Amino acid sequence: MAYDKFTVLKSTAVPMPIENVDTDQIIPARFLKATERKGFGDNLFRDWRYNADESPKRDFVLNNPIYSGKILVGGRNFGSGSSREHAAWAIYDYGFRCVVSSFFADIFKNNSLNIGILPVQVSPEFLDKLFKAIEADPKTEIEVSLPDQTITLVATGESESFFINGYKKNNMMNGYDDIDYLQSLKNDIKSYASSSVY
Amino acid sequence: MSKTATTLFDKVWDRHVIRHIEDGPDVLFIDRHFIHEVTSPVAFLGLETRGLKVMFPEKTFATADHNTPTINQHLPVQDPLSANQLKALETNSAKYGISHWGLGNPKNGIVHVVGPENGITLPGMTIVCGDSHTSTHGAFGAIAFGIGTSEVEMVLSSQCIMQQKPKKMRISVNGKLGKGIVPKDVVLYIISRLTAAGATGYFVEYAGDVFENMSMEGRMTVCNMSIEMGARGGMVAPDETTFAYIKGREKAPKGADWDKALAYWKTLKTDEGASFDVEYTYDAAEIEPMITYGTNPGMGIGITKKIPQAQEAGSGKASYEKSLAYMGFHEKEAMLGKKVDYVFIGSCTNGRIEDFRAFASIIKGKKKADHVTAWIVPGSHIVEQQIREEGILDILMEAGFQLRQPGCSACLAMNDDKIPAGKYAVSTSNRNFEGRQGPGARTMLASPLVAAAAAITGVVTDPRELF
Ligand code: SF4
């Protein structure tokens, strides 16, 4: 599915300093029954966000109007557990375009890149700095530059660079996806398949 | 010059690379692709939007499992959304010529149970599925891992995915396991040592006496939970145990094909001296029956131990406290004697025949505790059949249990099998995340033996006391 191109994102951020945020929390299984990719944002963090009677939980960060923005800053080991791409869809659908953490689960990272969310892995120290800055001022702006591979606290200029491979970077900057690329390899794939053991 | 020593993982991976992209991922050919109703519909929609076909429909296998009821499977599925997903799987499979084992089909069951039991899973293959526990199939010496829906679409349309090659980890467990210690304990022990993120970025090879002496069912239980320490997957080198398991299964090679395959499979092992990015070695004698006390699978301890304090557990204090608060537990409490409301035996981790044999070995001649609700859910119809044939069903019924029909069931609680909020469950599944088994449900992961002991006594019990 085509997604928005990603170059430079300057935004406030939503802080979620919790470790091991798993994809069952991001989108609980009972909301995976759709056959289309629509409306998952409403159920993002469903059980942390709402009480059983559907009323919002006051102390959850997404219900706190002082925090907003297109960047979600999470604790270490973000996105562990289930491979459900619905987790990435829910994050995207809610309006986030970038998730920052000191550590991501592999499948979540791949899923995010495949649908146009940029996972930015920073050092634990820088992550701490981000949480502190947002806590001190919820309107703190963060700039994520994909071309430069940097993340910067705009007010202080404190910055760190992050890794992304050249192929994925090019895809994200241009809104390309892997399926287009794989279609171009069809002949190679066919000839491999004809000599495969299985 | 002698050939360089190579790991099993490298042998299988390198053979499947169609192209290596400079400063990018490898294009990896996929031998087997499993699909189920939850993570495939949007992939099929994608194909339609782009006007693409399924490139090799004979390499994809569909089964319905995540969303299916475990009672009255012969009746129409009540929940309209679930029914719709099941219908979509059936329609899409028919449209693109993919083999489909839907509800009611005698081969139906949990994807990671039916793949191996029908001989679809073979050594040396690359296997993917839109489900993180695809790592299960690594028990056969395959590279098997979970993928997202975009990748499902890639495999359908091109039989390939694009993956960065993971780093390599070897985990050896040597020695002999004590009485009452089963494969689930081994893997929960490893995860408790490595933490829920300890193997992220790695592909694991399990080695050493304990795995060499383990049954295929046991190896599947271990490989299944590789993802719970963050690993992409885990594998065990194929050996005589593997070949004996595969031989004669429906889709396994036969005759001359078998001989040829076998000769190849015998080359699938890590050469002496091959190097790993990281290695861990554990002693089998250190492993007790395990149980989890928190909200990720790394939060496990020996059943006779006390809940650790945050600093010993090596996680951040706030997250640790949040987790214990969810469970209603406290630091330094004993796990033994804690009340249990529900017991679930099943899932792709422990829903195979060996697991029900283990369960039955404890409950035989005893009675279920009155206050415990037990859900006993085979991983497939074939397992269900074995349970009947081996007389395990009689043992279950005499002890006051009922057998349900196959499916994922309370492992992820997408169907009606939900543990109510605040209730405690001892579960043989693989995830104790908040709400995994129903909103507010409190899960303690354990082996089928620990589950059986809890079902009989109604509290967390060391199964070694009940033999
Ligand atoms: S049993 Fe549980 S872990 Fe296994 S495939 Fe089903 S939902 Fe996933």
Side-chain angles (χ1 to χ4, degrees), chain B residues 289-310:
Chain B
M290 295 287 295
I291 192 158
T292 65
Y293 57 87
T295 56
N296 71 60
M299 299 174 81
I301 44 172
I303 198 161
T304 62
K305 304 258 172 25
K306 298 210 158 64
I307 296 174
Q309 292 176 275

Side-chain angles (χ1 to χ4, degrees), chain B residues 200-431:
Chain B
T200 303
Y202 290 90
F203 210 96
V204 176
E205 179 175 345
Y206 298 98
D209 320 336
V210 164
F211 303 111
E212 282 164 25
N213 295 327
M214 208 177 259
S215 67
M216 287 314 292
E217 284 86 352
R219 292 178 192 177
M220 284 189 253
T221 300
V222 172
C223 289
N224 174 278
M225 290 196 73
S226 305
I227 180 75
E228 305 310 335
M229 48 190 170
R232 274 327 288 278
M235 65 202 306
V236 177
D239 59 9
E240 292 305 325
T241 308
T242 320
F243 310 143
Y245 178 97
I246 297 169
K247 195 162 188 177
R249 294 197 183 251
E250 184 181 323
K251 299 207 185 287
K254 310 258 155 43
D257 287 344
W258 170 263
D259 298 336
K260 202 171 131 210
L262 191 63
Y264 169 52
W265 296 344
K266 287 185 172 169
T267 67
L268 295 174
K269 50 170 148 282
T270 292
D271 302 330
E272 195 85 41
S275 73
F276 289 81
D277 297 287
V278 54
E279 295 221 37
Y280 295 97
T281 303
Y282 301 112
D283 178 1
E286 298 285 306
I287 307 175
E288 271 201 279
M290 295 287 295
I291 192 158
T292 65
Y293 57 87
T295 56
N296 71 60
M299 299 174 81
I301 44 172
I303 198 161
T304 62
K305 304 258 172 25
K306 298 210 158 64
I307 296 174
Q309 292 176 275
Q311 60 271 32
E312 303 163 40
S315 50
K317 201 164 167 54
S319 300
Y320 191 76
E321 279 169 2
K322 178 177 186 301
S323 179
L324 287 194
Y326 179 86
M327 291 301 292
F329 291 161
H330 300 94
E331 293 171 323
K332 299 196 273 188
E333 277 177 352
M335 286 303 287
L336 286 175
K338 287 206 175 289
K339 186 167 176 246
V340 176
D341 308 297
Y342 282 75
V343 167
F344 171 59
I345 164 158
S347 88
C348 58
T349 313
N350 286 122
R352 298 185 183 79
I353 188 62
E354 185 177 279
D355 303 312
F356 295 94
R357 287 183 196 136
F359 189 82
S361 74
I362 297 257
I363 64 165
K364 187 168 186 173
K366 305 189 183 72
K367 287 272 179 260
K368 179 182 85 64
D370 285 339
H371 72 270
V372 170
T373 303
W375 290 330
I376 302 188
V377 187
S380 70
H381 282 296
I382 294 181
V383 174
E384 183 185 357
Q385 190 63 28
Q386 281 173 297
I387 290 175
R388 290 176 196 281
E389 283 167 11
E390 295 186 14
I392 295 172
L393 183 60
D394 301 329
I395 298 175
L396 292 173
M397 306 237 308
E398 273 160 33
F401 296 94
Q402 279 173 348
L403 188 64
R404 297 175 84 100
Q405 290 171 300
C408 294
S409 179
C411 174
L412 91 166
M414 262 187 99
N415 66 1
D416 290 338
D417 306 344
K418 293 181 176 54
I419 315 285
K423 296 291 182 193
Y424 289 95
V426 170
S427 177
T428 66
S429 55
N430 43 50
R431 287 191 171 137

Side-chain angles (χ1 to χ4, degrees), chain B residues 424-447:
Chain B
Y424 289 95
V426 170
S427 177
T428 66
S429 55
N430 43 50
R431 287 191 171 137
N432 51 353
F433 298 152
E434 285 185 31
R436 170 79 178 184
Q437 299 197 285
R442 292 158 159 171
T443 301
M444 295 173 270
L445 300 175
S447 76

Side-chain angles (χ1 to χ4, degrees), chain B residues 22-39:
Chain B
E22 208 51 55
D23 192 20
D26 287 345
V27 177
L28 201 66
F29 187 84
I30 300 302
D31 295 314
R32 286 288 182 271
H33 181 209
F34 293 104
I35 57 173
H36 62 82
E37 73 275 25
V38 178
T39 56

